[in-house]
Amino acid sequence: MLRILLQKNSWLRYVIAGIVSFCLYIGLSHIIIVEGADNNPRFMMLRLEDIGPGGYYSTPEGLGKLRAVFDYLHQQHVHYSMAVIPRWINISQDGTRYDRAIDQLDNDYVQAFDRVLREAAEHGGSIGMHGYTHQVGDVYREDGHQASGIGNEFNVNDLPETATTAFAEQRVQEGYRRFRLANLSPHFWEAPHYHTTPDQDKVFRSYFGLFYQPDVTIDSNPPSAQYKNALNKGFGNTSFGNVFVPTTLSYIPSGKDEKFILNQMGKTDRINSFFYHPFLEFSHLVPVVDEWGEQLLKDGIPQYLYAGENKSVLQRLITQIHLKGYPFYSIHDYVPFAPSVSLKVGSAKSTLVQIGNVTGRNQADIVTWDKKTSNLSVIQAQYKGLRNEDQPEPQVWASLPYADGSSFTLNGMKDGHKKGLWVVRPSGKLESYSSDGATFAREQIWTIPAKRWYDLYELRQPNGDCILAGQSQDRSQLLGIYMHGGKVKEIKPYTFRSNSSKDLLVRKLRNEDSQRLFLFKENTSQGVEFELDTANMQWKLNKVSLNIPDELGGVRFGDFNGDGKEDILRSDPKNLTNRVYLQTTENEYKLLSVYGPWGRTNGRLTVADFDGNGKVDIAMLPNEDGQLDVALSYQSLNVND
């Protein structure tokens, strides 16, 4: 019948073709919007190369000039990364040895050098470890490999021991030890001249999650970050994942100017990243003097400033990049989370997990409830050292028999810095426990309706009240208990209209010491807020719309850059990507970067400030292997200013 109609009415064929084309267009447009292909930010990254306690920076004058470059970058709102050599060695032809390290704290110069680095880190600079000495040996060599900043450190042709994993591990351990003694924290690794063996790279991947260099075994100049989702084994504790960031634009060769970088910009298929040696700016700096012509000092270091505006290559380059509308990112803004430690916590089938502070220290503890042994254990994990360092063993704080349909969460009503527990049981009991920093002790029991719970959330309310809410075990209903004046009331269960799995989110209300529960529809920015109607003891639903694009995945909330504003993370579990939207003003967000693919497909993403630096991190909750994989945020403040 349709064929006859088409034969008699040729115009109908064109109408149908038009409808089909329109539908395809709508479908393709939806894919583009959902995947967020058109809203990747433009930015520039700068890595300052070969910074160490020697060479051009070996004198107070050189150190003052280095500080002047750092100060200029800060004034220009340039976020940058510093490749730091912790020990500087050079053997002259006459046998004279220069040897200074950042941990020689009884040396006035070293104290000043470390102070300048700390200032830079506080004002837009991020510190990375650039080898241990960036040289090799204790004798003069015609090829220059004995000089820091010039020589190779690993895989040196005539020194076979430098190609071993034992040599690589000894060097990275010794270098990091000196950083630690100097109270400096490197958060990325760059091998000198990228000159290592594949086996040595396995060592470095075990020690650092983030690299400011390409993975040369795969591609020596990739267009963007390379994510390696694999276990790192054999050198300390097992960890998961690495990220490699290339300097796609290389550096400005001798005889070239800023146009060498500027002419490479604008290609949408690659990031913009280059490296630069700060000493190249020194000829454009002049002393800061008083009215009598005497040079001024700042905490014992000679002061310098630029002789004028846009005189040096770096000055002109920064000016032009700003005019193009490109902000400067540090490596931690482009890669907003650095793969860190992995912790053995037990699989999701055998263990319930909560994350928070139960010991009173300034790092997140991991609390586990083993369904088989009934043990409630606490891991006082360490996140501020190397990722492969030994982690504390779990300590049993209590033994609570587990019954199917039980759940628990952390109790911050009494002490938010040393949280206890809330436990709900299917028999109809609610229990509260306090923490003394070493054990959980039961404080009170209430009778509640007998129900099976899937999860549990604490929601602080005004005037010291509290709501405990969670999904029923079959995830068909939202259950709730209202606590007021030490007494409990049941909240009428709300039956979800959708049978799909749900990630409930706790959010603090703006300008209020109160929390509510939220649920967002996957692949959209639309959701609902669950508000308690205390008069009728039932849930009231309020529609919520986030001012970010509709994209694949769900959302998480947290202050990821430590500026006091709530940001949004769009997490796509299928593609293992996470898009960070920083809040600029109220209800306005700007995409910082896209992170990933990182993580395991059978894990569940959660957010918390694990290392206590005021910036919310991410982690993949227990998978079949029972590993909790953490990635830490060191993002810059005000990166888009």
Side-chain angles (χ1 to χ4, degrees):
M1 182 67 180
L2 179 61
R3 184 173 61 184
I4 295 173
L5 284 172
L6 291 175
Q7 289 174 346
K8 291 184 176 181
N9 302 280
S10 59
W11 59 269
L12 190 58
R13 285 180 288 175
Y14 296 104
V15 171
I16 293 174
I19 293 172
V20 171
S21 298
F22 178 75
C23 292
L24 286 172
Y25 170 78
I26 293 297
L28 290 172
S29 298
H30 175 71
I31 291 172
I32 291 173
I33 292 171
V34 167
E35 292 183 349
D38 295 332
N39 63 349
N40 287 318
R42 301 188 307 173
F43 56 87
M44 176 62 76
M45 288 194 294
L46 165 62
R47 186 184 75 207
L48 296 180
E49 197 77 344
D50 295 339
I51 297 172
Y56 290 94
Y57 319 115
S58 62
T59 64
E61 291 73 23
L63 196 51
K65 292 177 180 179
L66 179 63
R67 174 188 262 174
V69 176
F70 289 158
D71 288 345
Y72 174 77
L73 294 175
H74 177 55
Q75 293 161 9
Q76 297 300 314
H77 305 287
V78 173
H79 299 274
Y80 56 95
S81 304
M82 298 176 285
V84 177
I85 304 167
R87 184 180 179 186
W88 198 283
I89 295 175
N90 186 24
I91 313 298
S92 300
Q93 191 167 6
D94 62 3
T96 303
R97 179 184 179 88
Y98 178 95
D99 189 346
R100 277 184 181 163
I102 59 175
D103 65 323
Q104 295 169 348
L105 302 181
D106 57 349
N107 182 287
D108 290 342
Y109 161 80
V110 170
Q111 290 181 25
F113 178 85
D114 293 352
R115 187 163 58 250
V116 168
L117 277 191
R118 284 192 206 95
E119 288 176 1
E122 292 170 358
H123 296 103
S126 59
I127 296 176
M129 183 172 169
H130 190 25
Y132 171 37
T133 63
H134 201 317
Q135 60 80 238
V136 70
D138 295 309
V139 297
Y140 176 80
R141 297 171 57 110
E142 291 294 335
D143 58 14
H145 286 312
Q146 84 289 346
S148 288
I150 297 174
N152 286 332
E153 184 171 355
F154 304 100
N155 197 21
V156 180
N157 288 336
D158 59 341
L159 297 172
E161 69 274 13
T162 64
T164 65
T165 57
F167 181 83
E169 188 163 30
Q170 181 269 328
R171 303 294 277 190
V172 72
Q173 287 177 347
E174 185 61 21
Y176 188 80
R177 183 184 71 84
R178 295 185 184 260
F179 272 107
R180 179 172 282 172
L181 290 172
N183 196 27
L184 295 167
S185 298
H187 295 308
F188 67 85
W189 167 264
E190 182 202 350
H193 301 149
Y194 314 158
H195 195 266
T196 55
T197 71
D199 283 342
Q200 288 179 323
D201 291 340
K202 295 177 183 178
V203 175
F204 304 134
R205 290 200 299 268
S206 292
Y207 280 82
F208 287 90
L210 182 58
F211 288 62
Y212 206 155
Q213 66 170 79
D215 184 351
V216 295
T217 61
I218 298 175
D219 187 344
S220 61
N221 191 25
S224 58
Q226 302 158 293
Y227 283 79
K228 197 177 190 75
N229 271 351
L231 288 174
N232 299 302
K233 295 182 177 180
F235 305 96
N237 272 7
T238 298
S239 60
F240 182 82
N242 297 89
V243 188
F244 296 81
V245 177
T247 49
T248 53
L249 309 183
S250 190
Y251 69 104
I252 301 175
S254 177
K256 300 289 185 178
D257 59 16
E258 68 278 2
K259 295 185 182 66
F260 183 82
I261 298 295
L262 295 171
N263 291 340
Q264 297 183 71
M265 294 175 62
K267 296 184 178 180
T268 58
D269 60 341
R270 73 178 181 192
I271 62 170
N272 297 295
S273 174
F274 72 102
F275 65 90
Y276 193 83
H277 290 87
F279 67 78
L280 295 174
E281 296 293 287
F282 285 8
S283 63
H284 299 279
L285 300 173
V286 295
V288 178
V289 298
D290 61 17
E291 54 269 31
W292 294 282
E294 297 291 330
Q295 184 166 14
L296 296 177
L297 303 179
K298 180 182 177 182
D299 51 36
I301 302 173
Q303 288 187 262
Y304 291 86
L305 51 71
Y306 278 88
E309 294 184 4
N310 293 328
K311 298 293 184 180
S312 76
V313 169
L314 187 60
Q315 284 179 304
R316 295 194 299 269
L317 180 58
I318 289 172
T319 297
Q320 290 300 313
I321 290 172
H322 280 323
L323 288 174
K324 289 177 178 288
Y326 286 66
F328 276 85
Y329 278 22
S330 84
I331 189 174
H332 300 299
D333 302 315
Y334 173 49
V335 182
F337 306 100
S340 182
V341 302
S342 292
L343 303 166
K344 190 75 173 178
V345 298
S347 70
K349 293 181 179 180
S350 65
T351 311
L352 300 180
V353 178
Q354 291 291 335
I355 300 166
N357 195 336
V358 298
T359 58
R361 66 198 185 110
N362 192 35
Q363 296 188 67
D365 304 304
I366 313 300
V367 185
T368 64
W369 190 3
D370 191 303
K371 297 179 181 179
K372 294 181 179 179
T373 67
S374 300
N375 287 340
L376 265 161
S377 301
V378 175
I379 304 173
Q380 298 185 48
Q382 302 294 325
Y383 312 96
K384 295 184 178 181
L386 291 165
R387 68 192 307 218
N388 64 343
E389 291 179 343
D390 290 338
Q391 291 288 339
E393 290 294 322
Q395 300 296 315
V396 178
W397 280 31
S399 181
L400 300 181
Y402 175 83
D404 185 42
S406 299
S407 192
F408 86 114
T409 192
L410 301 188
N411 178 351
M413 298 304 296
K414 183 177 180 180
D415 186 347
H417 299 288
K418 193 183 293 183
K419 296 183 178 181
L421 305 176
W422 296 110
V423 178
V424 287
R425 298 189 178 276
S427 59
K429 298 296 181 183
L430 167 65
E431 303 170 0
S432 69
Y433 292 78
S434 63
S435 164
D436 63 5
T439 60
F440 292 122
R442 190 168 66 189
E443 289 195 323
Q444 197 167 349
I445 301 178
W446 296 267
T447 298
I448 60 174
K451 297 181 184 296
R452 294 180 179 273
W453 296 70
Y454 174 79
D455 51 16
L456 188 64
Y457 303 88
E458 176 192 79
L459 307 172
R460 294 191 308 273
Q461 302 299 298
N463 304 318
D465 293 348
C466 173
I467 294 173
L468 295 172
Q471 299 175 80
S472 58
Q473 190 177 50
D474 62 3
R475 307 189 77 173
S476 66
Q477 291 185 317
L478 176 63
L479 311 177
I481 302 295
Y482 178 52
M483 302 194 67
H484 172 70
K487 298 181 179 180
V488 299
K489 293 182 180 179
E490 181 190 17
I491 302 171
K492 181 181 178 181
Y494 171 81
T495 300
F496 296 112
R497 298 175 182 176
S498 170
N499 293 325
S500 60
S501 61
K502 306 162 191 71
D503 282 334
L504 298 176
L505 305 173
V506 176
R507 292 180 74 188
K508 182 180 181 296
L509 297 185
R510 188 185 302 274
N511 301 321
E512 294 184 32
D513 186 21
S514 183
Q515 296 170 305
R516 287 194 185 154
L517 208 58
F518 290 77
L519 175 63
F520 286 88
K521 186 178 180 181
E522 287 290 301
N523 306 330
T524 76
S525 300
Q526 312 303 313
V528 292
E529 170 193 59
F530 292 94
E531 179 184 359
L532 176 60
D533 176 359
T534 54
N536 297 301
M537 291 307 296
Q538 63 183 20
W539 297 109
K540 174 185 175 183
L541 273 61
N542 306 314
K543 290 186 177 181
V544 177
S545 180
L546 301 175
N547 191 18
I548 62 171
D550 288 342
E551 296 165 310
L552 293 176
V555 297
R556 299 290 187 273
F557 299 95
D559 181 6
F560 299 111
N561 65 346
D563 65 355
K565 301 172 185 175
E566 182 190 65
D567 308 310
I568 300 175
L569 186 76
R570 169 74 73 180
S571 177
D572 178 0
K574 181 179 179 181
N575 296 307
L576 297 175
T577 56
N578 298 277
R579 309 174 78 86
V580 179
Y581 287 92
L582 297 181
Q583 186 175 171
T584 54
T585 57
E586 186 171 345
N587 201 35
E588 294 291 333
Y589 300 88
K590 188 169 185 178
L591 178 65
L592 174 71
S593 188
V594 181
Y595 179 72
W598 175 82
R600 314 191 200 204
T601 54
N602 54 357
R604 184 170 68 88
L605 191 90
T606 189
V607 298
D609 183 7
F610 286 90
D611 59 354
N613 70 347
K615 302 176 183 183
V616 172
D617 314 300
I618 64 173
M620 294 296 285
L621 276 167
N623 46 68
E624 294 175 359
D625 297 327
Q627 293 291 135
L628 178 70
D629 302 318
V630 179
L632 300 175
S633 170
Y634 306 108
Q635 295 170 34
S636 304
L637 284 170
N638 307 317
V639 71
N640 289 309
D641 285 359

PDB file of all heavy atoms in Angstrom, residues 612-625:
ATOM      1  N   GLY A 612      42.908  16.323  53.294  1.00  0.00           N
ATOM      2  CA  GLY A 612      42.709  17.437  54.202  1.00  0.00           C
ATOM      3  C   GLY A 612      43.294  18.756  53.743  1.00  0.00           C
ATOM      4  O   GLY A 612      43.551  19.638  54.569  1.00  0.00           O
ATOM      5  N   ASN A 613      43.471  18.947  52.423  1.00  0.00           N
ATOM      6  CA  ASN A 613      44.027  20.211  51.938  1.00  0.00           C
ATOM      7  C   ASN A 613      42.949  21.224  51.564  1.00  0.00           C
ATOM      8  O   ASN A 613      43.243  22.263  50.973  1.00  0.00           O
ATOM      9  CB  ASN A 613      44.962  19.972  50.745  1.00  0.00           C
ATOM     10  CG  ASN A 613      44.220  19.529  49.485  1.00  0.00           C
ATOM     11  OD1 ASN A 613      43.043  19.167  49.533  1.00  0.00           O
ATOM     12  ND2 ASN A 613      44.906  19.537  48.356  1.00  0.00           N
ATOM     13  N   GLY A 614      41.693  20.921  51.900  1.00  0.00           N
ATOM     14  CA  GLY A 614      40.602  21.842  51.613  1.00  0.00           C
ATOM     15  C   GLY A 614      40.053  21.731  50.211  1.00  0.00           C
ATOM     16  O   GLY A 614      39.177  22.520  49.829  1.00  0.00           O
ATOM     17  N   LYS A 615      40.531  20.749  49.434  1.00  0.00           N
ATOM     18  CA  LYS A 615      40.072  20.545  48.064  1.00  0.00           C
ATOM     19  C   LYS A 615      39.530  19.117  47.951  1.00  0.00           C
ATOM     20  O   LYS A 615      40.229  18.153  48.276  1.00  0.00           O
ATOM     21  CB  LYS A 615      41.218  20.775  47.074  1.00  0.00           C
ATOM     22  CG  LYS A 615      41.816  22.175  47.196  1.00  0.00           C
ATOM     23  CD  LYS A 615      43.022  22.382  46.294  1.00  0.00           C
ATOM     24  CE  LYS A 615      43.607  23.776  46.512  1.00  0.00           C
ATOM     25  NZ  LYS A 615      44.743  24.075  45.617  1.00  0.00           N
ATOM     26  N   VAL A 616      38.297  18.998  47.494  1.00  0.00           N
ATOM     27  CA  VAL A 616      37.633  17.696  47.459  1.00  0.00           C
ATOM     28  C   VAL A 616      38.253  16.822  46.373  1.00  0.00           C
ATOM     29  O   VAL A 616      38.497  17.265  45.247  1.00  0.00           O
ATOM     30  CB  VAL A 616      36.122  17.871  47.240  1.00  0.00           C
ATOM     31  CG1 VAL A 616      35.446  16.528  46.996  1.00  0.00           C
ATOM     32  CG2 VAL A 616      35.500  18.556  48.461  1.00  0.00           C
ATOM     33  N   ASP A 617      38.510  15.574  46.731  1.00  0.00           N
ATOM     34  CA  ASP A 617      39.133  14.593  45.848  1.00  0.00           C
ATOM     35  C   ASP A 617      38.079  13.594  45.369  1.00  0.00           C
ATOM     36  O   ASP A 617      36.912  13.654  45.766  1.00  0.00           O
ATOM     37  CB  ASP A 617      40.244  13.860  46.601  1.00  0.00           C
ATOM     38  CG  ASP A 617      41.146  14.808  47.375  1.00  0.00           C
ATOM     39  OD1 ASP A 617      41.760  15.668  46.731  1.00  0.00           O
ATOM     40  OD2 ASP A 617      41.210  14.700  48.621  1.00  0.00           O
ATOM     41  N   ILE A 618      38.500  12.659  44.527  1.00  0.00           N
ATOM     42  CA  ILE A 618      37.592  11.611  44.061  1.00  0.00           C
ATOM     43  C   ILE A 618      38.197  10.248  44.369  1.00  0.00           C
ATOM     44  O   ILE A 618      39.403  10.109  44.586  1.00  0.00           O
ATOM     45  CB  ILE A 618      37.294  11.721  42.553  1.00  0.00           C
ATOM     46  CG1 ILE A 618      38.562  11.502  41.719  1.00  0.00           C
ATOM     47  CG2 ILE A 618      36.664  13.064  42.229  1.00  0.00           C
ATOM     48  CD1 ILE A 618      38.296  11.442  40.218  1.00  0.00           C
ATOM     49  N   ALA A 619      37.333   9.236  44.393  1.00  0.00           N
ATOM     50  CA  ALA A 619      37.791   7.858  44.604  1.00  0.00           C
ATOM     51  C   ALA A 619      36.784   6.915  43.980  1.00  0.00           C
ATOM     52  O   ALA A 619      35.599   7.242  43.838  1.00  0.00           O
ATOM     53  CB  ALA A 619      37.955   7.559  46.090  1.00  0.00           C
ATOM     54  N   MET A 620      37.269   5.742  43.598  1.00  0.00           N
ATOM     55  CA  MET A 620      36.393   4.679  43.122  1.00  0.00           C
ATOM     56  C   MET A 620      36.168   3.718  44.278  1.00  0.00           C
ATOM     57  O   MET A 620      37.117   3.114  44.797  1.00  0.00           O
ATOM     58  CB  MET A 620      37.030   3.953  41.940  1.00  0.00           C
ATOM     59  CG  MET A 620      37.183   4.812  40.695  1.00  0.00           C
ATOM     60  SD  MET A 620      35.615   5.346  39.980  1.00  0.00           S
ATOM     61  CE  MET A 620      35.071   3.833  39.207  1.00  0.00           C
ATOM     62  N   LEU A 621      34.910   3.600  44.688  1.00  0.00           N
ATOM     63  CA  LEU A 621      34.557   2.727  45.799  1.00  0.00           C
ATOM     64  C   LEU A 621      34.716   1.266  45.408  1.00  0.00           C
ATOM     65  O   LEU A 621      34.807   0.935  44.232  1.00  0.00           O
ATOM     66  CB  LEU A 621      33.126   3.019  46.245  1.00  0.00           C
ATOM     67  CG  LEU A 621      32.985   4.188  47.228  1.00  0.00           C
ATOM     68  CD1 LEU A 621      31.527   4.594  47.362  1.00  0.00           C
ATOM     69  CD2 LEU A 621      33.558   3.818  48.583  1.00  0.00           C
ATOM     70  N   PRO A 622      34.739   0.398  46.416  1.00  0.00           N
ATOM     71  CA  PRO A 622      35.142  -0.995  46.212  1.00  0.00           C
ATOM     72  C   PRO A 622      34.557  -1.654  44.978  1.00  0.00           C
ATOM     73  O   PRO A 622      33.374  -1.555  44.695  1.00  0.00           O
ATOM     74  CB  PRO A 622      34.648  -1.683  47.484  1.00  0.00           C
ATOM     75  CG  PRO A 622      34.706  -0.629  48.517  1.00  0.00           C
ATOM     76  CD  PRO A 622      34.347   0.639  47.800  1.00  0.00           C
ATOM     77  N   ASN A 623      35.434  -2.324  44.279  1.00  0.00           N
ATOM     78  CA  ASN A 623      35.053  -3.102  43.117  1.00  0.00           C
ATOM     79  C   ASN A 623      35.223  -4.569  43.465  1.00  0.00           C
ATOM     80  O   ASN A 623      35.335  -4.934  44.629  1.00  0.00           O
ATOM     81  CB  ASN A 623      35.934  -2.706  41.932  1.00  0.00           C
ATOM     82  CG  ASN A 623      37.391  -2.628  42.355  1.00  0.00           C
ATOM     83  OD1 ASN A 623      38.001  -3.637  42.676  1.00  0.00           O
ATOM     84  ND2 ASN A 623      37.940  -1.421  42.409  1.00  0.00           N
ATOM     85  N   GLU A 624      35.249  -5.404  42.472  1.00  0.00           N
ATOM     86  CA  GLU A 624      35.379  -6.839  42.733  1.00  0.00           C
ATOM     87  C   GLU A 624      36.704  -7.183  43.392  1.00  0.00           C
ATOM     88  O   GLU A 624      36.813  -8.165  44.121  1.00  0.00           O
ATOM     89  CB  GLU A 624      35.211  -7.610  41.420  1.00  0.00           C
ATOM     90  CG  GLU A 624      33.797  -7.502  40.839  1.00  0.00           C
ATOM     91  CD  GLU A 624      33.672  -8.163  39.491  1.00  0.00           C
ATOM     92  OE1 GLU A 624      34.698  -8.686  39.005  1.00  0.00           O
ATOM     93  OE2 GLU A 624      32.569  -8.159  38.916  1.00  0.00           O
ATOM     94  N   ASP A 625      37.744  -6.371  43.129  1.00  0.00           N
ATOM     95  CA  ASP A 625      39.044  -6.613  43.749  1.00  0.00           C
ATOM     96  C   ASP A 625      39.122  -6.068  45.168  1.00  0.00           C
ATOM     97  O   ASP A 625      40.094  -6.318  45.874  1.00  0.00           O
ATOM     98  CB  ASP A 625      40.160  -5.973  42.909  1.00  0.00           C
ATOM     99  CG  ASP A 625      40.255  -6.595  41.526  1.00  0.00           C
ATOM    100  OD1 ASP A 625      39.973  -7.798  41.423  1.00  0.00           O
ATOM    101  OD2 ASP A 625      40.591  -5.882  40.575  1.00  0.00           O
TER     102      ASP A 625
END
